[in-house]
Amino acid sequence: MNTPEMQQLKMAWLAAKADGNTGEQMRLLHEYPGEREELIDFIAAYHASGGASAIKQDIPVIAMTQRARQRALDRVFGEAAAVATLTELRKQRKMTKVAAAQGLRLSVDVWNKFEAGAIELTSLTQRQLERLANFFQVSIDQFGNLLQQSQPEIALNRRQTRQGAQSEQQGLQKQSFEQAVARSSMPPAEQAYWLGK
């Protein structure tokens, strides 16, 4: 349970860790026996996720590791970390693709590119990221992480082999947000809204 008291305890532990104060870290564990188990889970997740060191985002992670990581994040941070892709975020908000696209003032084809991970995160301006993140009520960092983790779903039709579907997925070309908007069916007013022209 991620109560305000537990959040303060986690923040105090992180501050002690940053200061290198192991005595304070141990004191927090001993003085809060009711929260000890949850704090230990938090500490384990902290170290499992790399702690204070930067994690390379471009390293492919196998599905089992992603599920384990997600379960650990869910236990520590609650439901806010319960999604791993933009598709899951949209579904958690109980929205269709059309509703998400309309709410964002995007065309469905552009939103599909977001969900497929075809939009380059680095092509988005701070303002664009703020609009996208605010719509879904997540932080800019969360939205960026979800975009980077989004990949097209493999869908097979009766005449297509799994290998053919995977090669189509691998052939997905990333593009800038500006290119996606310019090539879309969005009206000029909506394009101007997103591109500032």
Side-chain angles (χ1 to χ4, degrees):
M1 195 161 46
N2 206 14
T3 63
E5 294 79 21
M6 191 65 215
Q7 288 177 348
Q8 289 178 345
L9 189 57
K10 290 174 185 178
M11 295 301 290
W13 185 88
L14 286 171
K17 176 72 174 167
D19 292 341
N21 188 344
T22 54
E24 176 65 9
Q25 293 171 4
M26 293 306 292
R27 185 191 70 75
L28 291 169
L29 281 169
H30 291 294
E31 286 191 15
Y32 298 91
E35 290 84 8
R36 184 177 300 143
E37 187 176 324
E38 191 172 346
L39 185 58
I40 289 171
D41 285 345
F42 172 77
I43 294 167
Y46 172 83
H47 289 290
S49 64
S53 62
I55 299 173
K56 292 183 180 178
Q57 295 292 325
D58 58 345
I59 297 175
V61 181
I62 62 172
M64 185 185 305
T65 305
Q66 286 178 329
R67 287 192 304 272
R69 175 182 172 270
Q70 194 60 51
R71 277 195 304 273
L73 288 172
D74 291 347
R75 285 184 72 191
V76 173
F77 296 109
E79 193 177 313
V83 296
T85 65
L86 290 176
T87 302
E88 291 176 17
L89 178 65
R90 173 182 55 79
K91 288 178 180 179
Q92 183 189 58
R93 301 297 194 263
K94 297 181 181 7
M95 284 186 216
T96 64
K97 286 184 179 184
V98 173
Q102 287 175 343
L104 286 164
R105 298 175 63 178
L106 293 170
S107 63
V108 176
D109 60 319
V110 173
W111 179 248
N112 279 335
K113 290 177 183 177
F114 273 103
E115 286 194 13
I119 303 291
E120 294 174 347
L121 176 60
T122 56
S123 70
L124 293 162
T125 65
Q126 184 73 18
R127 178 116 170 102
Q128 291 165 341
L129 276 170
E130 285 173 2
R131 286 178 177 165
L132 293 161
N134 287 340
F135 177 77
F136 286 105
Q137 299 175 339
V138 296
S139 71
I140 291 172
D141 289 338
Q142 282 177 306
F143 186 87
N145 288 336
L146 294 173
L147 174 58
Q148 288 182 318
Q149 292 179 25
S150 295
Q151 298 175 15
E153 294 179 6
I154 298 175
L156 298 176
N157 64 35
R158 287 190 274 161
R159 296 182 183 167
Q160 186 178 35
T161 64
R162 184 167 196 75
Q163 184 179 11
Q166 288 174 337
S167 66
E168 278 182 22
Q169 180 180 350
Q170 290 170 351
L172 178 70
Q173 294 292 333
K174 290 218 176 218
Q175 60 184 257
S176 72
F177 180 59
E178 186 172 346
Q179 290 171 328
V181 169
R183 294 177 184 165
S184 75
S185 59
M186 291 169 57
E190 303 301 343
Q191 289 185 5
Y193 171 78
W194 280 102
L195 302 179
K197 294 180 180 179

